[in-house]
Amino acid sequence: MNQSLSEVREQFLGDAAAAANADTLASLKDKYLGRKSGLIAAAKKTIGKLGAEERAEFGRQVNELAAEVEAEIGRLGEAIAARNEQAALDRERVDVTLPGTGAASGHLHPITLVRQRIEDIFVSMGYSVEDGPEIETPFYNFDALNIPASHPARDSADTFYVSETLALRTQTSNVQIHTMQRRKPPLRVIAPGRVFRRDTPDPTHNPMFFQVEGLNVDRRITMADLKGTLTKFVEMMFGANLRTRFRPSYFPFTEPSAEVDFSCYVCDGSGCRVCKGTGWIELGGSGMVHPNVLETVSVDPEEFSGFAFGLGIDRMAALMYGIDDIRLLYENDVRFLEQFA
Ligand SMILES: [Zn+2]
């Protein structure tokens, strides 16, 4: 081979051995095969200096070298591409033997769990579940429930007013009125939901809490029906063989009215921390629907009578889960809520 051609070849082999990636390979190709300034093109230009008899041999050798360089660059290109692909596969390899991280699954809030249980019990007794507005006019929240204009519950110190004529409902009893306006007796409904009162938060009070309202209106409904219904509810909710007691009380929307207690399911009446030593646990308020309430919704109190009750869902949740501060139910601290999964 011609002296200068074998030098170009030596140089190329040295450069090719050092070409490690697509970039160095591209400059290698430029350096040797470039049409204008490539070393092989430069070698071809020297052909003019040769004698006529040497030209044919030189031409053959320079073409051979060009083919060799081209083939080698092609081979290197394939090798680099294969190496890159393997590296990418190695990077993306998934080690199926590594332990998984696992996703935490959600679950229902304790208030929801208790509400669903209450609903199931009353639905099994033939009640339907009603819903009603949380923002209410004074008519539905007070007037229709026989609460006089002078009643302190209407005061803005006790009730959250959102405007002159609208307030956040202070009880779920507004649903009684909506339901009786829509449907005629016989009626058996419960209405669980949020209520709002201007209470200072403490372990047993919160400005927003959950109640379940109950209403049963039909012919010949008596106080005995109310007692039987709530006693059965207590048995299904907290345990068989529990007793209830009804203490005379006063609510504007019922007459007569009674506070309902049930015997402590922890100590069975002998007194413990849960019942604060009394042997009884407060369940809620109840009574026979006041005739004025029935008349307001055009139900004849001479023909129909009914009972109503309002029970605290949060209080029941606190009892069932042994929670001593109901504010925990509303703070949405995941460490607390996780315990109910
Ligand atoms: Zn007790």
Side-chain angles (χ1 to χ4, degrees), residues 9-286:
R9 185 169 179 276
E10 285 305 310
Q11 196 184 343
F12 170 73
L13 291 177
D15 286 348
N21 56 45
D23 284 346
T24 49
L25 193 65
S27 27
L28 190 69
K29 196 171 176 182
D30 254 11
K31 181 174 175 184
Y32 291 92
L33 299 176
R35 278 167 196 269
K36 285 183 182 158
S37 54
L39 291 180
I40 289 175
K44 278 181 180 169
K45 283 176 192 156
T46 63
I47 203 165
K49 296 175 185 162
L50 298 173
E53 63 280 11
E54 289 169 300
R55 285 185 186 179
E57 177 59 14
F58 181 82
R60 193 185 57 76
Q61 288 182 355
V62 85
N63 283 339
E64 220 176 72
L65 179 60
E68 185 187 348
V69 166
E70 203 159 338
E72 180 62 8
I73 286 176
R75 199 189 59 76
L76 282 172
E78 281 169 25
I80 288 170
R83 230 175 18 243
N84 287 346
E85 192 182 339
Q86 188 56 47
L89 286 174
D90 288 346
R91 265 198 312 278
E92 290 163 18
R93 171 166 293 145
V94 175
D95 183 352
V96 294
T97 64
L98 285 175
T101 47
S105 60
H107 58 83
L108 296 175
H109 191 280
I111 291 276
T112 308
L113 293 171
V114 172
R115 176 177 59 76
Q116 288 180 342
R117 188 160 158 192
I118 294 168
E119 287 176 4
D120 286 348
I121 291 173
F122 282 107
V123 165
S124 78
M125 295 187 200
Y127 284 71
S128 62
V129 181
E130 294 288 332
D131 202 3
E134 292 177 358
I135 298 176
E136 201 46 286
T137 61
F139 174 77
Y140 288 98
N141 198 62
F142 298 119
D143 300 329
L145 292 164
N146 199 37
I147 298 174
S150 59
H151 197 280
R154 291 178 178 246
D155 197 278
S156 60
D158 291 317
T159 299
F160 290 106
Y161 283 89
V162 293
S163 73
E164 289 279 307
T165 51
L166 290 173
L168 300 183
R169 68 177 175 187
T170 55
Q171 69 234 327
T172 43
S173 307
N174 64 329
V175 185
Q176 285 188 25
I177 308 303
H178 286 289
T179 305
M180 288 193 285
Q181 280 183 335
R182 244 187 355 256
R183 289 156 50 189
K184 291 297 147 201
L187 281 172
R188 277 200 295 261
V189 300
I190 58 163
R194 278 187 192 84
V195 300
F196 308 84
R197 290 180 199 173
R198 274 189 183 270
D199 273 331
T200 307
D202 68 27
T204 55
H205 295 88
N206 199 61
M208 186 280 295
F209 56 102
F210 286 81
Q211 263 192 346
V212 57
E213 185 79 10
L215 176 71
N216 186 336
V217 182
D218 202 344
R219 292 179 179 85
R220 294 183 297 279
I221 293 287
T222 69
M223 197 81 184
D225 297 307
L226 169 63
K227 292 178 79 171
T229 301
L230 287 183
T231 302
K232 190 69 196 165
F233 168 72
V234 163
E235 285 177 6
M236 293 174 82
M237 191 75 187
F238 293 100
N241 304 320
L242 293 176
R243 301 173 304 286
T244 49
R245 73 175 182 188
F246 289 72
R247 287 180 287 120
S249 185
Y250 170 77
F251 306 111
F253 32 88
T254 46
E255 178 60 34
S257 305
E259 299 270 3
V260 190
D261 304 330
F262 62 99
S263 56
C264 178
Y265 57 91
V266 178
C267 65
D268 196 30
S270 60
C272 71
R273 193 176 144 272
V274 171
C275 58
K276 300 186 185 77
T278 63
W280 294 94
I281 295 172
E282 285 178 29
L283 182 66
S286 69

Side-chain angles (χ1 to χ4, degrees), residues 295-317:
E295 276 171 357
T296 301
V297 291
S298 309
V299 172
D300 181 2
E302 297 297 325
E303 185 182 0
F304 291 99
S305 56
F307 66 72
F309 54 82
L311 317 177
I313 297 179
D314 338 54
R315 278 182 44 76
M316 284 190 256

Side-chain angles (χ1 to χ4, degrees), residues 290-338:
H290 197 290
N292 290 353
V293 175
L294 295 177
E295 276 171 357
T296 301
V297 291
S298 309
V299 172
D300 181 2
E302 297 297 325
E303 185 182 0
F304 291 99
S305 56
F307 66 72
F309 54 82
L311 317 177
I313 297 179
D314 338 54
R315 278 182 44 76
M316 284 190 256
L319 283 169
M320 294 181 70
Y321 294 118
I323 299 164
D324 52 14
D325 188 336
I326 63 160
R327 291 173 295 185
L328 287 167
L329 292 167
Y330 308 115
E331 286 166 357
N332 288 332
D333 184 330
V334 173
R335 291 168 301 178
F336 170 77
L337 294 176
E338 267 172 355

